[in-house]
Amino acid sequence: MARTIVAEVCPHCRSLDVRATEPRWFVVEFPRRGELDDGWVDRLEFACRTCGGTWD
């Protein structure tokens, strides 16, 4: 089974030096956090370390 790896490229400067973050609006601080926050990513935000551009 062949696997393909795709790198995120900055749409502004075409750099490959990109980081991804998962912005959170709030933090759940309860003992039952595992039941409330299942770990799914709602939205990914990308930022270029070269030019500082951001996109999602």
Side-chain angles (χ1 to χ4, degrees):
M1 180 164 121
R3 294 183 185 224
T4 303
I5 298 173
V6 178
E8 187 68 30
V9 178
C10 176
H12 307 289
C13 72
R14 310 304 296 166
S15 172
L16 290 171
D17 194 4
V18 172
R19 65 180 174 86
T21 61
E22 179 189 349
R24 293 278 189 174
W25 291 99
F26 60 91
V27 176
V28 178
E29 294 182 357
F30 297 108
R32 295 176 51 217
R33 178 181 179 153
E35 296 174 34
L36 300 173
D37 184 4
D38 61 3
W40 287 99
V41 176
D42 294 327
R43 179 175 67 97
L44 277 181
E45 181 178 274
F46 298 96
C48 179
R49 293 182 174 130
T50 303
C51 73
T54 59
W55 65 98
D56 57 7

